[in-house]
Amino acid sequence: MAKLYFYFSSMNAGKSTTLLQADFNYRERGMRTMLWSAALDTRGDGMIRSRIGLEAPAHLYAPETDLWTAIGAAHRAEPIHCVLVDEAQFLTDAQVWQLARLADEAGIPVLCYGIRTDFQGALFPGSAALLGIADALVELKAVCHCGRKATMNLRVDAAGAAVQQGEQTEIGGNDRYLALCRRHFTEALGR
């Protein structure tokens, strides 16, 4: 039976690397995969890229993308053995349910990878939906500068100071975010 998986972590835990390795494993066995990433993340330019240099082309989804229809049509044309979704925190609630339907009705395993919380410690909508309905939850580990498990994402400005207010989503990498343990996240925000 196919399942909906959610692999989550703070930033810099290797989510994209893990996704690309899973994709490679399926393809090495002659199976067809379909990769998706958020159109909102313009750094990717239609590619899923890991910080260690691995990359693969991906379909892009926006909030209005009907994943059930798009993936279903491709699956009918040529069977898909696994769907892999990067930046899953940007999925809508409806899209998460569409992915669950692909697992339940089409029998396609769906592996979603994303961060759980934003720079204020609040859940992203896609992550909240996945935490609620995924068949399997897998936490990937990142490391804080103190050596503890990093579970939080601190947004910083150009000078490296903690940012406390702003839009939930601001695309960036190591120049804008630090993965921290909860203790150091709390201290940085002065909570």
Side-chain angles (χ1 to χ4, degrees), residues 120-147:
Q120 295 177 321
L123 290 170
F124 280 97
S127 299
L130 284 161
L131 288 167
I133 70 166
D135 297 298
L137 302 172
V138 181
E139 184 178 20
L140 301 175
K141 307 288 191 298
V143 180
C144 180
H145 62 81
C146 70

Side-chain angles (χ1 to χ4, degrees), residues 21-42:
Q21 180 65 55
D23 174 58
F24 176 83
N25 292 346
Y26 273 93
R27 288 184 298 104
E28 184 179 43
R29 288 164 183 81
M31 297 177 178
R32 185 168 176 249
T33 60
M34 191 172 201
L35 279 60
W36 288 82
S37 191
L40 178 65
D41 187 352
T42 56

Side-chain angles (χ1 to χ4, degrees), residues 142-151 179-185:
V143 180
C144 180
H145 62 81
C146 70
R148 289 188 187 107
K149 178 175 74 171
T151 58
L180 298 175
C181 67
R182 186 178 56 238
R183 175 182 172 193
H184 286 110
F185 175 82

Side-chain angles (χ1 to χ4, degrees), residues 25-72:
N25 292 346
Y26 273 93
R27 288 184 298 104
E28 184 179 43
R29 288 164 183 81
M31 297 177 178
R32 185 168 176 249
T33 60
M34 191 172 201
L35 279 60
W36 288 82
S37 191
L40 178 65
D41 187 352
T42 56
R43 298 171 300 159
D45 196 30
M47 301 288 285
I48 295 174
R49 289 191 175 94
S50 71
R51 290 178 297 118
I52 63 170
L54 303 175
E55 65 181 24
H59 299 271
L60 298 177
Y61 67 86
E64 63 276 5
T65 304
D66 183 332
L67 295 171
W68 166 258
T69 300
I71 297 167

Side-chain angles (χ1 to χ4, degrees), residues 3-6 92-101 104 126-137:
K3 293 183 180 181
L4 173 62
Y5 297 84
F6 182 36
T92 65
D93 186 72
Q95 288 170 329
V96 171
W97 283 97
Q98 291 166 10
L99 294 172
R101 187 176 174 199
D104 297 343
S127 299
L130 284 161
L131 288 167
I133 70 166
D135 297 298
L137 302 172

